[in-house]
Amino acid sequence: MRIGDLAARTGVSVRALRYYEEQGLLKANRSGSGQRHYPESVVDRVDLIQMLYAAGLSSRTIAELLPCVEAKVSTPESRARLFAERDRIDAQIAGLTRTRDRLDAVIASTGSPASGCTYIADRDVAT
Amino acid sequence: MRIGDLAARTGVSVRALRYYEEQGLLKANRSGSGQRHYPESVVDRVDLIQMLYAAGLSSRTIAELLPCVEAKVSTPESRARLFAERDRIDAQIAGLTRTRDRLDAVIASTGSPASGCTYIADRDVAT
DNA sequence: CTTGCCTCTGACGTCAACGTCAGGTTCTAG
DNA sequence: CTAGAACCTGACGTTGACGTCAGAGGCAAG
């Protein structure tokens, strides 16, 4: 599997994949001419990397936690980092939930102004 | 209330407050000599701005939604934006929840290797 | 008055995760 | 064999939300 194929499979750009390698998140087997070749397994790894990036983790943190998540290998530091990131994500979820509820309240008040102005699509307001 | 006081009250830097004004998120009464003076009410406004920034909204989007959230004034576009951002935040919460659960699973497997994989994750899944 | 802190307006610096371009090599289809 | 897609390594550009510095002015206390 070459880098273009991996990019297509993961939806990540070729540039991003090379960047991940540069950051030590991804390793590639090189052919004689220097081209990168990947096994199927890296697809999951790239998905995981994207997942962690989306959760707000930095390259450095991801690099620290990847062996922990994939190979179940962990040092005391990485375990501490793991707990810290878990808690940070928890807090982030809590904050986002409050923000969403606030927006929902706004939607409820501007969307149906007391009387029957109901042409605004009837959405679920408080999950 | 001068800008330094507002910064202290909100935990936001002076630079950030000036930046908010530059982005049209905050207005200030100017004294004769050009110094900014704020009423008490802007404290809540700044908190709200921070909340929206934390939720991943851009200055432009916040500027569009602030009148909607504070004064309950909305145009069809801002209402559409409101719905879009609410849904985006919902999706973000869902993604973060999956990521957190994944980290919890890792914690469960690396954190207590002796007693078989018992899940730690009996946390509330953020409504 | 002057000391010292606060404020003002530019304007350049920063940082992360890439985008994009240049110039050159390699693989593949016909 | 040859065109053209895909790949390579630098290396500079981008974006957003500020940080930071420079130089100048404002404000209450002693």
Side-chain angles (χ1 to χ4, degrees), chain B residues 23-50:
Chain B
Q23 299 298 308
L25 308 180
L26 220 52
K27 57 189 181 309
N29 309 317
R30 296 305 186 103
S31 74
S33 61
Q35 299 206 345
R36 295 172 179 84
H37 288 273
Y38 303 95
E40 280 288 324
S41 61
V42 299
V43 173
D44 286 350
R45 189 181 180 95
V46 171
D47 287 343
L48 177 58
I49 291 173
Q50 285 288 98

Side-chain angles (χ1 to χ4, degrees), chain A residues 47-63:
Chain A
D47 286 345
L48 177 57
I49 291 172
Q50 285 288 97
M51 193 175 185
L52 296 176
Y53 269 129
L57 283 75
S58 68
S59 295
R60 219 178 64 77
T61 304
I62 295 176

